Amino acid sequence: MATSKLMRAIRVSEFGAPSVLKLCTDLPVPNPGQKQVLIRVHACGVNPVETYIRSGSYARKPSLPYTPGSDISGVVEAVGDGVCLLRVLHVCFAWIAIFSVFTDRIREFTVASEDTVHKLPDSLDYKQGAAIGVPYFTAYRALVQKAHAKAGETVLIHGASGGVGIAACQIARAFGLKVLGTAGTSEGMQLVLSNGAHLAFNHREKDYLDKIKNATSGQGMNVIIEMLSNVNLSNDLQLLDFGGRVIIVGSRGPIEIYPRDTMMKETSIIGVALYNTSNETTECAAALFAGMETGWLKPVIGPEYTLDKASQAHEDIINSPGASGKMILII
Protein backbone atom coordinates (compact mmCIF):
# COMPACT_ATOMS: atom_id res chain seq x y z
CA MET A 1 0.00 0.00 0.00
CA ALA A 2 1.78 3.12 -1.18
CA THR A 3 1.10 6.26 0.81
CA SER A 4 2.13 9.90 0.78
CA LYS A 5 0.30 10.85 3.95
CA LEU A 6 2.13 12.65 6.72
CA MET A 7 1.63 12.29 10.46
CA ARG A 8 2.63 13.77 13.79
CA ALA A 9 5.00 11.89 16.06
CA ILE A 10 7.36 12.39 18.99
CA ARG A 11 11.01 11.95 17.99
CA VAL A 12 14.18 11.66 20.06
CA SER A 13 17.47 12.56 18.34
CA GLU A 14 19.68 12.47 21.45
CA PHE A 15 19.44 10.91 24.89
CA GLY A 16 18.80 13.32 27.73
CA ALA A 17 16.18 15.23 29.71
CA PRO A 18 12.47 15.30 28.81
CA SER A 19 13.18 18.29 26.58
CA VAL A 20 14.73 15.98 23.96
CA LEU A 21 11.19 14.79 23.13
CA LYS A 22 10.32 16.78 20.02
CA LEU A 23 7.00 16.92 18.20
CA CYS A 24 7.42 16.41 14.44
CA THR A 25 4.55 17.02 12.04
CA ASP A 26 5.94 15.83 8.72
CA LEU A 27 6.83 12.15 9.14
CA PRO A 28 5.50 9.73 6.53
CA VAL A 29 2.78 7.31 7.55
CA PRO A 30 4.39 3.82 7.55
CA ASN A 31 3.26 0.97 5.34
CA PRO A 32 2.41 -2.37 6.96
CA GLY A 33 4.83 -5.15 6.01
CA GLN A 34 4.43 -8.91 5.97
CA LYS A 35 1.93 -9.95 8.66
CA GLN A 36 1.71 -6.41 9.98
CA VAL A 37 -1.23 -4.05 10.48
CA LEU A 38 -1.35 -0.27 10.32
CA ILE A 39 -3.07 1.27 13.33
CA ARG A 40 -4.43 4.77 13.72
CA VAL A 41 -3.47 5.54 17.31
CA HIS A 42 -6.05 7.08 19.63
CA ALA A 43 -4.20 6.83 22.96
CA CYS A 44 -0.75 5.80 24.17
CA GLY A 45 0.33 4.78 27.65
CA VAL A 46 3.29 6.46 29.37
CA ASN A 47 5.56 4.12 31.37
CA PRO A 48 8.55 4.93 33.62
CA VAL A 49 10.80 2.61 31.61
CA GLU A 50 10.39 4.93 28.61
CA THR A 51 11.93 7.78 30.62
CA TYR A 52 14.96 5.63 31.43
CA ILE A 53 15.38 4.79 27.75
CA ARG A 54 15.06 8.47 26.79
CA SER A 55 17.67 9.49 29.37
CA GLY A 56 20.14 6.91 28.05
CA SER A 57 20.38 5.10 31.40
CA TYR A 58 18.53 1.96 30.32
CA ALA A 59 20.52 -1.18 29.49
CA ARG A 60 18.88 -1.58 26.08
CA LYS A 61 19.07 1.56 23.96
CA PRO A 62 17.34 2.12 20.61
CA SER A 63 19.18 3.55 17.63
CA LEU A 64 18.80 7.31 17.23
CA PRO A 65 16.58 8.92 16.19
CA TYR A 66 13.61 6.99 17.52
CA THR A 67 9.98 7.41 18.57
CA PRO A 68 9.23 6.39 22.20
CA GLY A 69 6.21 4.56 23.56
CA SER A 70 4.93 0.99 23.77
CA ASP A 71 1.24 0.57 24.65
CA ILE A 72 -1.45 1.95 22.36
CA SER A 73 -5.09 1.61 21.45
CA GLY A 74 -6.63 2.53 18.15
CA VAL A 75 -8.22 1.35 14.93
CA VAL A 76 -6.76 -0.94 12.28
CA GLU A 77 -6.52 1.10 9.07
CA ALA A 78 -4.72 -1.28 6.70
CA VAL A 79 -3.06 -4.69 6.62
CA GLY A 80 0.06 -6.14 5.03
CA ASP A 81 0.50 -9.39 3.13
CA GLY A 82 -0.23 -12.59 4.99
CA VAL A 83 -2.59 -11.07 7.55
CA CYS A 84 -5.76 -13.04 8.21
CA LEU A 85 -8.51 -10.74 6.90
CA LEU A 86 -11.22 -12.21 9.15
CA ARG A 87 -8.98 -11.77 12.18
CA VAL A 88 -8.23 -8.14 11.37
CA LEU A 89 -11.91 -7.36 10.85
CA HIS A 90 -12.51 -8.89 14.27
CA VAL A 91 -9.87 -6.73 15.99
CA CYS A 92 -10.31 -3.38 14.27
CA PHE A 93 -10.53 -1.84 17.74
CA ALA A 94 -7.19 -2.82 19.15
CA TRP A 95 -4.63 -2.50 21.87
CA ILE A 96 -1.08 -3.68 21.41
CA ALA A 97 1.89 -4.34 23.63
CA ILE A 98 5.47 -4.73 22.46
CA PHE A 99 7.53 -6.88 24.81
CA SER A 100 10.99 -6.70 23.23
CA VAL A 101 11.39 -2.99 22.42
CA PHE A 102 9.65 -0.16 24.28
CA THR A 103 9.65 2.24 21.33
CA ASP A 104 7.87 3.49 18.23
CA ARG A 105 4.37 4.18 19.53
CA ILE A 106 3.87 7.91 20.33
CA ARG A 107 2.65 8.78 16.86
CA GLU A 108 -0.59 9.13 14.95
CA PHE A 109 -0.04 5.90 13.00
CA THR A 110 2.06 2.86 13.79
CA VAL A 111 2.61 -0.64 12.43
CA ALA A 112 2.49 -3.74 14.60
CA SER A 113 2.89 -7.46 14.13
CA GLU A 114 -0.44 -9.19 13.71
CA ASP A 115 0.11 -11.38 16.77
CA THR A 116 0.53 -8.36 19.09
CA VAL A 117 -2.81 -6.82 18.11
CA HIS A 118 -5.91 -7.81 20.05
CA LYS A 119 -9.57 -6.89 20.19
CA LEU A 120 -10.45 -4.24 22.74
CA PRO A 121 -13.61 -5.35 24.55
CA ASP A 122 -16.67 -3.14 24.30
CA SER A 123 -16.51 -2.64 28.07
CA LEU A 124 -13.21 -0.72 27.80
CA ASP A 125 -12.57 2.58 26.01
CA TYR A 126 -9.52 3.69 24.06
CA LYS A 127 -7.90 5.29 27.09
CA GLN A 128 -8.20 2.07 29.09
CA GLY A 129 -6.94 0.08 26.11
CA ALA A 130 -3.70 2.07 26.18
CA ALA A 131 -3.29 1.24 29.88
CA ILE A 132 -3.25 -2.56 29.63
CA GLY A 133 0.01 -3.72 28.01
CA VAL A 134 3.05 -2.92 30.14
CA PRO A 135 1.22 -2.43 33.50
CA TYR A 136 -0.86 -5.61 33.45
CA PHE A 137 1.73 -7.87 31.82
CA THR A 138 4.29 -6.63 34.36
CA ALA A 139 1.94 -7.17 37.30
CA TYR A 140 0.97 -10.66 36.14
CA ARG A 141 4.57 -11.66 35.48
CA ALA A 142 5.62 -10.36 38.90
CA LEU A 143 2.82 -11.97 40.90
CA VAL A 144 2.21 -15.23 39.08
CA GLN A 145 5.21 -16.12 36.94
CA LYS A 146 7.96 -14.92 39.29
CA ALA A 147 6.52 -14.82 42.83
CA HIS A 148 4.29 -17.87 42.22
CA ALA A 149 1.77 -16.22 44.53
CA LYS A 150 -1.01 -18.49 45.76
CA ALA A 151 -4.53 -17.92 47.02
CA GLY A 152 -4.48 -17.28 50.75
CA GLU A 153 -1.06 -15.63 50.77
CA THR A 154 -0.52 -12.00 51.72
CA VAL A 155 1.00 -9.54 49.25
CA LEU A 156 2.23 -5.99 49.87
CA ILE A 157 2.24 -3.78 46.79
CA HIS A 158 4.42 -0.70 47.10
CA GLY A 159 3.33 2.24 44.94
CA ALA A 160 -0.05 0.59 44.47
CA SER A 161 -1.81 3.68 43.10
CA GLY A 162 0.15 3.77 39.82
CA GLY A 163 -0.48 1.82 36.62
CA VAL A 164 1.40 -1.36 37.59
CA GLY A 165 0.28 -1.07 41.21
CA ILE A 166 -3.42 -0.92 40.39
CA ALA A 167 -3.00 -3.82 37.96
CA ALA A 168 -1.26 -5.83 40.70
CA CYS A 169 -4.06 -5.06 43.18
CA GLN A 170 -6.74 -6.21 40.75
CA ILE A 171 -4.88 -9.40 39.78
CA ALA A 172 -3.95 -10.31 43.36
CA ARG A 173 -7.52 -9.84 44.62
CA ALA A 174 -8.95 -11.84 41.70
CA PHE A 175 -6.50 -14.66 42.45
CA GLY A 176 -7.50 -14.88 46.11
CA LEU A 177 -4.64 -13.13 47.93
CA LYS A 178 -4.90 -10.79 50.89
CA VAL A 179 -3.82 -7.47 49.38
CA LEU A 180 -2.05 -4.60 51.16
CA GLY A 181 -1.01 -1.52 49.22
CA THR A 182 0.88 1.71 49.79
CA ALA A 183 0.41 5.14 48.24
CA GLY A 184 1.70 8.64 48.87
CA THR A 185 -1.59 10.55 49.16
CA SER A 186 -5.02 10.04 50.69
CA GLU A 187 -6.47 10.04 47.16
CA GLY A 188 -4.03 7.33 46.18
CA MET A 189 -4.91 5.24 49.23
CA GLN A 190 -8.60 5.41 48.36
CA LEU A 191 -7.79 4.41 44.78
CA VAL A 192 -5.86 1.39 46.06
CA LEU A 193 -8.77 0.30 48.27
CA SER A 194 -11.30 0.69 45.45
CA ASN A 195 -9.21 -1.54 43.17
CA GLY A 196 -8.89 -4.63 45.28
CA ALA A 197 -6.69 -3.89 48.30
CA HIS A 198 -7.99 -4.95 51.71
CA LEU A 199 -5.79 -2.36 53.46
CA ALA A 200 -3.91 0.76 52.34
CA PHE A 201 -1.04 2.65 53.98
CA ASN A 202 0.56 6.03 53.37
CA HIS A 203 4.25 5.43 52.72
CA ARG A 204 5.00 9.06 53.60
CA GLU A 205 4.07 8.48 57.24
CA LYS A 206 7.04 7.70 59.46
CA ASP A 207 5.38 4.78 61.21
CA TYR A 208 3.78 3.16 58.16
CA LEU A 209 6.04 0.09 58.38
CA ASP A 210 4.90 -0.53 61.95
CA LYS A 211 1.29 -0.24 60.83
CA ILE A 212 1.93 -2.85 58.12
CA LYS A 213 3.51 -5.22 60.64
CA ASN A 214 0.58 -4.77 63.01
CA ALA A 215 -1.88 -5.49 60.20
CA THR A 216 -0.47 -9.00 59.86
CA SER A 217 0.02 -9.50 63.62
CA GLY A 218 3.75 -9.66 62.96
CA GLN A 219 3.47 -12.66 60.65
CA GLY A 220 4.95 -10.87 57.65
CA MET A 221 4.40 -10.78 53.91
CA ASN A 222 4.57 -13.76 51.60
CA VAL A 223 5.14 -11.49 48.59
CA ILE A 224 6.17 -7.85 48.16
CA ILE A 225 5.85 -6.15 44.76
CA GLU A 226 8.47 -3.41 44.82
CA MET A 227 8.32 -0.39 42.48
CA LEU A 228 11.16 1.62 44.10
CA SER A 229 13.66 -0.90 45.41
CA ASN A 230 16.50 1.61 45.79
CA VAL A 231 14.46 3.15 48.62
CA ASN A 232 12.53 0.23 50.10
CA LEU A 233 14.43 -3.02 49.59
CA SER A 234 16.21 -3.13 52.95
CA ASN A 235 12.93 -2.53 54.79
CA ASP A 236 11.16 -5.05 52.55
CA LEU A 237 13.44 -7.80 53.80
CA GLN A 238 12.35 -7.02 57.36
CA LEU A 239 8.68 -7.34 56.39
CA LEU A 240 8.85 -10.80 54.81
CA ASP A 241 7.55 -14.00 56.32
CA PHE A 242 9.54 -17.27 56.10
CA GLY A 243 10.09 -18.10 52.43
CA GLY A 244 8.86 -14.66 51.38
CA ARG A 245 9.71 -13.13 48.02
CA VAL A 246 10.47 -9.52 47.05
CA ILE A 247 9.78 -8.96 43.36
CA ILE A 248 11.72 -6.03 41.91
CA VAL A 249 9.63 -4.16 39.35
CA GLY A 250 11.41 -0.80 39.55
CA SER A 251 14.61 0.83 40.79
CA ARG A 252 16.18 4.24 40.25
CA GLY A 253 19.56 3.66 41.86
CA PRO A 254 21.66 1.51 44.22
CA ILE A 255 20.87 0.46 47.77
CA GLU A 256 22.84 -1.29 50.50
CA ILE A 257 21.25 -4.35 52.10
CA TYR A 258 22.36 -6.83 54.77
CA PRO A 259 22.43 -10.26 53.03
CA ARG A 260 21.93 -12.05 56.34
CA ASP A 261 18.37 -10.67 56.31
CA THR A 262 17.62 -13.14 53.50
CA MET A 263 19.24 -16.07 55.29
CA MET A 264 17.30 -16.22 58.54
CA LYS A 265 13.94 -16.61 56.81
CA GLU A 266 15.26 -18.08 53.54
CA THR A 267 13.73 -15.24 51.55
CA SER A 268 14.31 -14.34 47.92
CA ILE A 269 14.87 -11.19 45.85
CA ILE A 270 13.69 -11.66 42.25
CA GLY A 271 13.87 -9.20 39.36
CA VAL A 272 11.32 -8.73 36.56
CA ALA A 273 11.97 -7.65 32.97
CA LEU A 274 9.21 -7.80 30.37
CA TYR A 275 11.56 -8.38 27.46
CA ASN A 276 12.23 -11.87 28.88
CA THR A 277 8.59 -12.97 28.52
CA SER A 278 8.67 -14.24 24.92
CA ASN A 279 7.78 -17.81 25.91
CA GLU A 280 5.16 -16.86 28.50
CA THR A 281 3.08 -14.15 26.85
CA THR A 282 0.35 -16.56 25.75
CA GLU A 283 -0.35 -17.56 29.35
CA CYS A 284 -0.36 -13.96 30.49
CA ALA A 285 -2.60 -12.76 27.66
CA ALA A 286 -5.09 -15.56 28.34
CA ALA A 287 -5.32 -14.63 32.02
CA LEU A 288 -5.77 -10.94 31.25
CA PHE A 289 -8.44 -11.58 28.61
CA ALA A 290 -10.29 -13.65 31.19
CA GLY A 291 -10.09 -10.63 33.48
CA MET A 292 -11.58 -8.41 30.81
CA GLU A 293 -14.39 -10.89 30.15
CA THR A 294 -15.31 -11.33 33.80
CA GLY A 295 -14.86 -7.66 34.65
CA TRP A 296 -12.09 -7.55 37.24
CA LEU A 297 -9.55 -6.04 34.81
CA LYS A 298 -10.47 -2.36 34.68
CA PRO A 299 -7.59 0.07 34.07
CA VAL A 300 -7.87 3.33 35.99
CA ILE A 301 -6.86 6.38 33.97
CA GLY A 302 -4.92 9.11 35.72
CA PRO A 303 -3.30 12.20 34.19
CA GLU A 304 -3.95 12.80 30.48
CA TYR A 305 -1.72 14.79 28.14
CA THR A 306 -1.94 15.85 24.53
CA LEU A 307 0.82 14.84 22.12
CA ASP A 308 2.56 18.21 22.33
CA LYS A 309 2.87 17.77 26.13
CA ALA A 310 4.82 14.51 25.97
CA SER A 311 7.87 16.07 27.61
CA GLN A 312 5.75 17.25 30.53
CA ALA A 313 4.32 13.74 30.89
CA HIS A 314 7.86 12.32 31.12
CA GLU A 315 8.70 14.90 33.77
CA ASP A 316 5.59 14.24 35.83
CA ILE A 317 5.65 10.44 35.79
CA ILE A 318 8.99 10.52 37.62
CA ASN A 319 8.62 13.60 39.82
CA SER A 320 4.92 13.85 40.71
CA PRO A 321 4.26 13.58 44.47
CA GLY A 322 1.85 10.64 44.17
CA ALA A 323 0.54 8.41 41.39
CA SER A 324 -3.21 8.24 40.76
CA GLY A 325 -3.89 5.83 37.92
CA LYS A 326 -2.30 5.22 34.55
CA MET A 327 -0.79 8.20 32.71
CA ILE A 328 -1.67 8.40 29.01
CA LEU A 329 -1.22 10.57 25.95
CA ILE A 330 -4.23 11.42 23.80
CA ILE A 331 -3.15 11.36 20.16
mmCIF file of all heavy atoms in Angstrom, residues 1 20 50 52 62 66 83 85 94 104 106 135-136 143 148 189-190 199 205 240 248 254 271 274 276 285 302 310 317:
data_model
loop_
_atom_site.group_PDB
_atom_site.id
_atom_site.type_symbol
_atom_site.label_atom_id
_atom_site.label_comp_id
_atom_site.label_asym_id
_atom_site.label_seq_id
_atom_site.Cartn_x
_atom_site.Cartn_y
_atom_site.Cartn_z
ATOM 1 N N MET A 1 0.847 -1.194 0.000
ATOM 2 C CA MET A 1 0.000 0.000 0.000
ATOM 3 C C MET A 1 0.880 1.240 0.000
ATOM 4 O O MET A 1 1.494 1.576 1.000
ATOM 5 C CB MET A 1 -0.910 0.010 1.240
ATOM 6 C CG MET A 1 -1.825 1.228 1.303
ATOM 7 S SD MET A 1 -2.638 1.396 2.917
ATOM 8 C CE MET A 1 -1.249 1.976 3.885
ATOM 9 N N VAL A 20 14.287 16.559 25.231
ATOM 10 C CA VAL A 20 14.729 15.976 23.957
ATOM 11 C C VAL A 20 13.556 15.366 23.186
ATOM 12 O O VAL A 20 13.715 14.986 22.019
ATOM 13 C CB VAL A 20 15.825 14.909 24.160
ATOM 14 C CG1 VAL A 20 17.017 15.511 24.881
ATOM 15 C CG2 VAL A 20 15.309 13.679 24.895
ATOM 16 N N GLU A 50 10.138 4.111 29.806
ATOM 17 C CA GLU A 50 10.392 4.934 28.615
ATOM 18 C C GLU A 50 11.214 6.173 28.963
ATOM 19 O O GLU A 50 11.955 6.691 28.113
ATOM 20 C CB GLU A 50 9.056 5.313 27.972
ATOM 21 C CG GLU A 50 8.344 4.111 27.360
ATOM 22 C CD GLU A 50 6.836 4.191 27.442
ATOM 23 O OE1 GLU A 50 6.292 5.301 27.652
ATOM 24 O OE2 GLU A 50 6.188 3.135 27.330
ATOM 25 N N TYR A 52 13.594 6.120 31.270
ATOM 26 C CA TYR A 52 14.963 5.625 31.432
ATOM 27 C C TYR A 52 15.625 5.446 30.066
ATOM 28 O O TYR A 52 16.810 5.750 29.896
ATOM 29 C CB TYR A 52 14.972 4.295 32.183
ATOM 30 C CG TYR A 52 14.181 4.270 33.468
ATOM 31 C CD1 TYR A 52 13.559 3.110 33.905
ATOM 32 C CD2 TYR A 52 14.049 5.415 34.260
ATOM 33 C CE1 TYR A 52 12.821 3.085 35.083
ATOM 34 C CE2 TYR A 52 13.309 5.397 35.431
ATOM 35 C CZ TYR A 52 12.697 4.222 35.833
ATOM 36 O OH TYR A 52 11.965 4.199 36.993
ATOM 37 N N PRO A 62 17.676 2.132 22.027
ATOM 38 C CA PRO A 62 17.338 2.116 20.605
ATOM 39 C C PRO A 62 18.317 2.960 19.807
ATOM 40 O O PRO A 62 19.024 3.817 20.352
ATOM 41 C CB PRO A 62 15.946 2.742 20.588
ATOM 42 C CG PRO A 62 15.949 3.673 21.762
ATOM 43 C CD PRO A 62 16.788 2.995 22.814
ATOM 44 N N TYR A 66 14.661 7.981 17.334
ATOM 45 C CA TYR A 66 13.608 6.988 17.520
ATOM 46 C C TYR A 66 12.363 7.677 18.064
ATOM 47 O O TYR A 66 12.402 8.813 18.530
ATOM 48 C CB TYR A 66 14.072 5.878 18.469
ATOM 49 C CG TYR A 66 14.064 6.261 19.936
ATOM 50 C CD1 TYR A 66 12.982 5.929 20.758
ATOM 51 C CD2 TYR A 66 15.138 6.941 20.515
ATOM 52 C CE1 TYR A 66 12.980 6.282 22.103
ATOM 53 C CE2 TYR A 66 15.131 7.287 21.857
ATOM 54 C CZ TYR A 66 14.047 6.957 22.647
ATOM 55 O OH TYR A 66 14.037 7.318 23.971
ATOM 56 N N VAL A 83 -1.753 -11.289 6.374
ATOM 57 C CA VAL A 83 -2.586 -11.072 7.547
ATOM 58 C C VAL A 83 -3.956 -11.688 7.312
ATOM 59 O O VAL A 83 -4.537 -11.521 6.236
ATOM 60 C CB VAL A 83 -2.741 -9.570 7.853
ATOM 61 C CG1 VAL A 83 -3.737 -9.348 8.991
ATOM 62 C CG2 VAL A 83 -1.393 -8.967 8.211
ATOM 63 N N LEU A 85 -7.541 -11.820 7.060
ATOM 64 C CA LEU A 85 -8.514 -10.743 6.900
ATOM 65 C C LEU A 85 -9.619 -10.836 7.938
ATOM 66 O O LEU A 85 -10.017 -9.840 8.544
ATOM 67 C CB LEU A 85 -9.111 -10.769 5.494
ATOM 68 C CG LEU A 85 -10.122 -9.658 5.167
ATOM 69 C CD1 LEU A 85 -9.493 -8.297 5.341
ATOM 70 C CD2 LEU A 85 -10.660 -9.831 3.758
ATOM 71 N N ALA A 94 -8.306 -2.008 18.703
ATOM 72 C CA ALA A 94 -7.190 -2.821 19.154
ATOM 73 C C ALA A 94 -6.350 -2.141 20.210
ATOM 74 O O ALA A 94 -6.282 -0.918 20.287
ATOM 75 C CB ALA A 94 -6.299 -3.176 17.971
ATOM 76 N N ASP A 104 8.543 3.360 19.516
ATOM 77 C CA ASP A 104 7.867 3.491 18.232
ATOM 78 C C ASP A 104 6.355 3.544 18.328
ATOM 79 O O ASP A 104 5.659 3.063 17.442
ATOM 80 C CB ASP A 104 8.270 2.353 17.287
ATOM 81 C CG ASP A 104 8.370 2.847 15.840
ATOM 82 O OD1 ASP A 104 8.622 4.039 15.650
ATOM 83 O OD2 ASP A 104 8.181 2.034 14.926
ATOM 84 N N ILE A 106 4.483 6.594 20.132
ATOM 85 C CA ILE A 106 3.874 7.914 20.332
ATOM 86 C C ILE A 106 3.830 8.630 18.987
ATOM 87 O O ILE A 106 4.675 9.464 18.653
ATOM 88 C CB ILE A 106 4.634 8.736 21.390
ATOM 89 C CG1 ILE A 106 4.744 7.949 22.700
ATOM 90 C CG2 ILE A 106 3.898 10.041 21.669
ATOM 91 C CD1 ILE A 106 5.463 8.687 23.805
ATOM 92 N N PRO A 135 1.608 -2.289 32.088
ATOM 93 C CA PRO A 135 1.225 -2.433 33.497
ATOM 94 C C PRO A 135 0.706 -3.821 33.855
ATOM 95 O O PRO A 135 1.129 -4.415 34.847
ATOM 96 C CB PRO A 135 0.137 -1.364 33.680
ATOM 97 C CG PRO A 135 0.436 -0.344 32.636
ATOM 98 C CD PRO A 135 0.935 -1.126 31.465
ATOM 99 N N TYR A 136 -0.228 -4.347 33.065
ATOM 100 C CA TYR A 136 -0.857 -5.611 33.446
ATOM 101 C C TYR A 136 0.038 -6.811 33.161
ATOM 102 O O TYR A 136 0.047 -7.780 33.939
ATOM 103 C CB TYR A 136 -2.215 -5.757 32.749
ATOM 104 C CG TYR A 136 -3.287 -4.959 33.457
ATOM 105 C CD1 TYR A 136 -3.476 -3.614 33.171
ATOM 106 C CD2 TYR A 136 -4.090 -5.530 34.444
ATOM 107 C CE1 TYR A 136 -4.434 -2.855 33.834
ATOM 108 C CE2 TYR A 136 -5.046 -4.783 35.111
ATOM 109 C CZ TYR A 136 -5.216 -3.451 34.804
ATOM 110 O OH TYR A 136 -6.159 -2.711 35.476
ATOM 111 N N LEU A 143 3.591 -11.229 39.919
ATOM 112 C CA LEU A 143 2.820 -11.974 40.902
ATOM 113 C C LEU A 143 2.775 -13.469 40.642
ATOM 114 O O LEU A 143 2.968 -14.279 41.551
ATOM 115 C CB LEU A 143 1.380 -11.439 40.940
ATOM 116 C CG LEU A 143 1.111 -10.197 41.774
ATOM 117 C CD1 LEU A 143 -0.250 -9.627 41.428
ATOM 118 C CD2 LEU A 143 1.182 -10.528 43.257
ATOM 119 N N HIS A 148 5.104 -16.654 42.061
ATOM 120 C CA HIS A 148 4.288 -17.872 42.225
ATOM 121 C C HIS A 148 3.317 -17.711 43.394
ATOM 122 O O HIS A 148 3.148 -18.616 44.222
ATOM 123 C CB HIS A 148 5.186 -19.103 42.425
ATOM 124 C CG HIS A 148 6.163 -19.321 41.310
ATOM 125 N ND1 HIS A 148 5.779 -19.703 40.042
ATOM 126 C CD2 HIS A 148 7.513 -19.191 41.265
ATOM 127 C CE1 HIS A 148 6.840 -19.812 39.257
ATOM 128 N NE2 HIS A 148 7.915 -19.494 39.982
ATOM 129 N N MET A 189 -4.504 6.323 48.341
ATOM 130 C CA MET A 189 -4.912 5.238 49.232
ATOM 131 C C MET A 189 -6.344 4.802 48.934
ATOM 132 O O MET A 189 -6.648 3.605 48.913
ATOM 133 C CB MET A 189 -4.780 5.683 50.687
ATOM 134 C CG MET A 189 -3.343 5.867 51.148
ATOM 135 S SD MET A 189 -3.241 6.605 52.803
ATOM 136 C CE MET A 189 -4.015 5.333 53.791
ATOM 137 N N GLN A 190 -7.219 5.759 48.688
ATOM 138 C CA GLN A 190 -8.598 5.415 48.358
ATOM 139 C C GLN A 190 -8.671 4.672 47.035
ATOM 140 O O GLN A 190 -9.462 3.726 46.872
ATOM 141 C CB GLN A 190 -9.461 6.681 48.304
ATOM 142 C CG GLN A 190 -10.943 6.405 48.100
ATOM 143 C CD GLN A 190 -11.517 5.473 49.153
ATOM 144 O OE1 GLN A 190 -11.326 5.687 50.347
ATOM 145 N NE2 GLN A 190 -12.223 4.441 48.723
ATOM 146 N N LEU A 199 -6.305 -3.419 52.596
ATOM 147 C CA LEU A 199 -5.791 -2.365 53.464
ATOM 148 C C LEU A 199 -4.847 -1.475 52.664
ATOM 149 O O LEU A 199 -4.157 -1.955 51.757
ATOM 150 C CB LEU A 199 -5.036 -2.959 54.657
ATOM 151 C CG LEU A 199 -5.835 -3.825 55.640
ATOM 152 C CD1 LEU A 199 -4.886 -4.540 56.600
ATOM 153 C CD2 LEU A 199 -6.849 -2.986 56.404
ATOM 154 N N GLU A 205 4.141 8.415 55.788
ATOM 155 C CA GLU A 205 4.069 8.475 57.239
ATOM 156 C C GLU A 205 5.246 7.720 57.851
ATOM 157 O O GLU A 205 5.607 6.635 57.394
ATOM 158 C CB GLU A 205 2.748 7.871 57.722
ATOM 159 C CG GLU A 205 1.523 8.652 57.272
ATOM 160 C CD GLU A 205 0.230 8.019 57.746
ATOM 161 O OE1 GLU A 205 0.296 6.917 58.357
ATOM 162 O OE2 GLU A 205 -0.846 8.603 57.520
ATOM 163 N N LEU A 240 9.193 -9.499 55.396
ATOM 164 C CA LEU A 240 8.846 -10.798 54.810
ATOM 165 C C LEU A 240 8.621 -11.876 55.864
ATOM 166 O O LEU A 240 9.261 -11.890 56.914
ATOM 167 C CB LEU A 240 9.946 -11.260 53.860
ATOM 168 C CG LEU A 240 10.092 -10.511 52.540
ATOM 169 C CD1 LEU A 240 11.307 -11.025 51.775
ATOM 170 C CD2 LEU A 240 8.829 -10.636 51.681
ATOM 171 N N ILE A 248 11.251 -7.355 42.299
ATOM 172 C CA ILE A 248 11.718 -6.027 41.911
ATOM 173 C C ILE A 248 11.142 -5.643 40.557
ATOM 174 O O ILE A 248 11.519 -6.181 39.522
ATOM 175 C CB ILE A 248 13.259 -5.974 41.853
ATOM 176 C CG1 ILE A 248 13.878 -6.459 43.161
ATOM 177 C CG2 ILE A 248 13.720 -4.555 41.512
ATOM 178 C CD1 ILE A 248 13.514 -5.639 44.360
ATOM 179 N N PRO A 254 21.148 2.588 43.361
ATOM 180 C CA PRO A 254 21.658 1.509 44.215
ATOM 181 C C PRO A 254 21.094 1.596 45.629
ATOM 182 O O PRO A 254 20.559 2.623 46.045
ATOM 183 C CB PRO A 254 23.168 1.747 44.211
ATOM 184 C CG PRO A 254 23.288 3.245 44.058
ATOM 185 C CD PRO A 254 22.142 3.666 43.174
ATOM 186 N N GLY A 271 14.106 -10.297 40.283
ATOM 187 C CA GLY A 271 13.869 -9.197 39.357
ATOM 188 C C GLY A 271 12.894 -9.578 38.255
ATOM 189 O O GLY A 271 12.693 -10.754 37.953
ATOM 190 N N LEU A 274 10.207 -7.340 31.339
ATOM 191 C CA LEU A 274 9.208 -7.803 30.370
ATOM 192 C C LEU A 274 9.824 -8.376 29.102
ATOM 193 O O LEU A 274 9.237 -9.239 28.463
ATOM 194 C CB LEU A 274 8.269 -6.651 29.993
ATOM 195 C CG LEU A 274 6.996 -6.491 30.817
ATOM 196 C CD1 LEU A 274 6.086 -5.480 30.159
ATOM 197 C CD2 LEU A 274 6.282 -7.812 31.006
ATOM 198 N N ASN A 276 11.909 -10.449 28.731
ATOM 199 C CA ASN A 276 12.231 -11.868 28.884
ATOM 200 C C ASN A 276 11.007 -12.765 28.794
ATOM 201 O O ASN A 276 11.095 -13.964 29.037
ATOM 202 C CB ASN A 276 12.904 -12.119 30.238
ATOM 203 C CG ASN A 276 14.283 -11.487 30.325
ATOM 204 O OD1 ASN A 276 15.009 -11.439 29.345
ATOM 205 N ND2 ASN A 276 14.629 -10.997 31.507
ATOM 206 N N ALA A 285 -1.512 -13.350 28.440
ATOM 207 C CA ALA A 285 -2.600 -12.765 27.657
ATOM 208 C C ALA A 285 -3.915 -13.477 27.945
ATOM 209 O O ALA A 285 -4.964 -12.837 28.083
ATOM 210 C CB ALA A 285 -2.268 -12.829 26.173
ATOM 211 N N GLY A 302 -5.340 7.976 34.917
ATOM 212 C CA GLY A 302 -4.922 9.113 35.721
ATOM 213 C C GLY A 302 -4.703 10.346 34.856
ATOM 214 O O GLY A 302 -5.563 10.712 34.050
ATOM 215 N N ALA A 310 4.143 15.766 25.631
ATOM 216 C CA ALA A 310 4.820 14.508 25.967
ATOM 217 C C ALA A 310 5.989 14.729 26.917
ATOM 218 O O ALA A 310 6.218 13.934 27.837
ATOM 219 C CB ALA A 310 5.306 13.812 24.696
ATOM 220 N N ILE A 317 5.755 11.840 35.389
ATOM 221 C CA ILE A 317 5.653 10.441 35.789
ATOM 222 C C ILE A 317 6.777 10.060 36.754
ATOM 223 O O ILE A 317 6.632 9.139 37.562
ATOM 224 C CB ILE A 317 5.644 9.501 34.561
ATOM 225 C CG1 ILE A 317 5.077 8.131 34.964
ATOM 226 C CG2 ILE A 317 7.034 9.362 33.943
ATOM 227 C CD1 ILE A 317 4.796 7.207 33.809
#
